[in-house]
Amino acid sequence: MFFKLHSEGKIGYKQLTEADLGRTSGNTTHIGLFGNVLTFLPDHDFEDEALFLYNNTSQSVPYFFDRITRENGDINSPKIKKGGKNIVSVTTLIQGITNELIDDRKWFLLWFGLESGKVVFYLFNNKSIDFSKLSQIIDLQTNLVKKQINKGDINYNNLLEELEKYVNENTEEVLQELEIQSQIGNSVSEIKKYKPFDIINANKIFQETGKKGEELIAEYLEILKARKQIFAYNWYNRNMETGLPYDFHIQANNQSLTYVDVKSTKYKFEQSIIFSNQEIDFISTEHTYNIFRVYDLLEEIGSPKLKICKNIKNLAQQINPHFEILKNSLEAQSIKLQSANMAINPNNNLLSFGNEINLDF
């Protein structure tokens, strides 16, 4: 899944001080960290996107990391800075959240790195369910507690299990977005948001999802064939990925052919479907072409499901002329368009999907 701790194997946590929360007269511009956590980060003026967790939500937020160089040459005192005027960062977000609730509650920050190099900051307070769960595993009762958990410590595995559960439960939108990004590649705006490791891992998971979806459709077509509802079918990717703009063709009892492209997702039906310009070009010229949308492939959701779209040609014929204009315009400049991808919501008003079919064989 998305969560795997960095090989550093360390987790830091502390009760945030009044200075950390920006409540002192000194106008503190940073939150102090400590210890040997996040040792894989550069020492000075490092900026990146972190995964920020709070109150069962997750979001990607910039953070500005730094360490102090002492007169004797020692480098220590790691911290995360505000990052400048009018900049949203992990530090400004924490101070904003905590200063909306100025009462007697205590605020805690827990931080660690993922295998991808992405840093996670987890904010909670002593009146939250998060505190109740974590206080059974780690010391959160000591006043102004400031501790580090290392791999091999007696409570390390239990803490890791709780953090993994929390991260995976509260990053579904991130995982859905990664599934899309793994198919269309990183745009400039996504370069910091997702690490190359995340995209590579998401692509591997998506390939497995695609294979699983095709296997389910092969089983479904086998059932239709046994019932004599279709005459035959051919699965082109049974042994290897062919790269064709379709995955199956179905031969009806009257011998007519229908090309089928299986578009699978682990998530809900509404997750965007990715099409290449080659697929759109083929669909717009082929007489009978269906999209088999396989979804809900996460085990915790329940049984996988299918909806079939038989009018994808309508949308393809609307899109294809735009590709042709772009292609011809580029060719006039001696530039060749090799491939382009687009994300299309299955609820697009030019598409019509049939009733839901349960694939729980």
Side-chain angles (χ1 to χ4, degrees):
M1 291 294 291
F2 180 76
F3 182 95
K4 190 172 182 182
L5 200 70
H6 194 276
S7 58
E8 175 186 68
K10 299 172 182 177
I11 302 166
Y13 68 95
K14 64 176 285 190
Q15 180 185 334
L16 295 173
T17 65
E18 291 293 294
D20 290 328
L21 300 176
R23 296 176 181 173
T24 58
S25 58
N27 191 29
T28 305
T29 60
H30 68 268
I31 293 175
L33 308 179
F34 66 90
N36 295 320
V37 185
L38 309 184
T39 55
F40 55 90
L41 296 180
D43 287 330
H44 301 296
D45 297 324
F46 179 70
E47 174 190 351
D48 204 352
E49 296 270 334
L51 185 65
F52 180 74
L53 305 174
Y54 170 66
N55 196 26
N56 294 325
T57 63
S58 68
Q59 56 183 307
S60 192
V61 182
Y63 72 99
F64 299 85
F65 183 82
D66 197 9
R67 292 185 177 93
I68 295 175
T69 301
R70 305 296 181 182
E71 289 185 3
N72 64 2
D74 290 345
I75 299 174
N76 50 36
S77 300
K79 58 184 179 290
I80 48 174
K81 301 182 294 184
K82 282 187 174 181
K85 188 177 181 180
N86 299 324
I87 291 178
V88 175
S89 66
V90 170
T91 301
T92 61
L93 193 57
I94 288 172
Q95 292 181 349
I97 291 170
T98 57
N99 285 303
E100 284 183 358
L101 297 166
I102 299 180
D103 53 20
D104 62 346
R105 73 187 69 200
K106 299 176 181 179
W107 290 93
F108 297 85
L109 184 66
L110 186 149
W111 64 94
F112 53 92
L114 295 175
E115 185 180 25
S116 64
K118 197 174 190 72
V119 175
V120 179
F121 293 100
Y122 177 9
L123 178 69
F124 57 97
N125 63 67
N126 65 326
K127 295 186 178 182
S128 65
I129 295 175
D130 298 341
F131 178 89
S132 300
K133 291 179 179 178
L134 290 171
S135 61
Q136 298 177 36
I137 304 171
I138 56 177
D139 174 24
L140 293 174
Q141 304 296 340
T142 302
N143 189 42
L144 290 177
V145 63
K146 186 167 71 171
K147 290 192 174 183
Q148 177 177 310
I149 304 297
N150 301 319
K151 189 174 183 179
D153 290 350
I154 190 169
N155 52 357
Y156 177 83
N157 288 334
N158 288 337
L159 177 58
L160 203 61
E161 184 178 337
E162 184 62 36
L163 291 175
E164 180 177 6
K165 180 180 177 183
Y166 186 93
V167 170
N168 286 335
E169 285 179 351
N170 295 289
T171 53
E172 184 172 326
E173 288 186 8
V174 174
L175 295 173
Q176 289 178 19
E177 198 169 328
L178 272 169
E179 184 184 75
I180 294 173
Q181 290 298 319
S182 71
Q183 300 169 72
I184 63 177
N186 258 1
S187 64
V188 173
S189 63
E190 304 296 333
I191 288 175
K192 286 187 176 180
K193 191 172 183 180
Y194 300 120
K195 301 288 186 182
F197 177 93
D198 295 329
I199 297 296
I200 292 170
N201 193 43
N203 187 262
K204 179 182 177 183
I205 294 172
F206 176 72
Q207 297 301 323
E208 294 169 355
T209 300
K211 185 67 172 178
K212 176 63 176 177
E214 289 186 30
E215 288 171 351
L216 287 168
I217 294 305
E219 290 183 61
Y220 172 68
L221 295 177
E222 197 63 42
I223 291 171
L224 296 186
K225 182 180 174 184
R227 293 174 179 171
K228 300 189 183 305
Q229 292 177 261
I230 63 172
F231 182 76
Y233 70 92
N234 189 33
W235 180 14
Y236 289 93
N237 300 326
R238 185 188 299 271
N239 298 315
M240 62 177 291
E241 177 62 46
T242 62
L244 293 169
Y246 48 86
D247 302 312
F248 293 84
H249 81 233
I250 300 172
Q251 189 173 1
N253 290 324
N254 65 2
Q255 303 305 303
S256 63
L257 290 181
T258 297
Y259 290 91
V260 171
D261 192 14
V262 181
K263 298 292 188 182
S264 303
T265 179
K266 297 177 74 171
Y267 306 104
K268 56 189 178 182
F269 171 77
E270 292 78 11
Q271 176 86 327
S272 292
I273 301 174
I274 308 303
F275 290 91
S276 69
N277 62 305
Q278 292 93 340
E279 288 174 324
I280 292 297
D281 184 55
F282 184 85
I283 293 169
S284 64
T285 58
E286 184 52 45
H287 180 66
T288 309
Y289 193 104
N290 289 176
I291 295 297
F292 277 34
R293 177 58 159 172
V294 178
Y295 57 101
D296 285 358
L297 286 175
L298 285 172
E299 290 183 6
E300 54 266 36
I301 292 178
S303 60
K305 301 173 183 67
L306 164 68
K307 285 187 179 182
I308 299 173
C309 175
K310 297 183 178 181
N311 72 333
I312 183 65
K313 190 173 182 178
N314 292 348
L315 183 61
Q317 289 180 334
Q318 290 285 331
I319 296 171
N320 202 45
H322 297 284
F323 270 120
E324 287 300 317
I325 292 171
L326 175 61
K327 180 181 175 182
N328 293 335
S329 176
L330 290 173
E331 287 180 351
Q333 305 299 320
S334 300
I335 300 171
K336 186 174 182 180
L337 179 67
Q338 295 283 12
S339 182
N341 294 317
M342 71 202 76
I344 298 175
N345 191 302
N347 287 326
N348 186 290
N349 58 15
L350 291 174
L351 299 179
S352 178
F353 282 85
N355 293 332
E356 186 173 272
I357 299 169
N358 198 310
L359 296 178
D360 187 15
F361 305 121

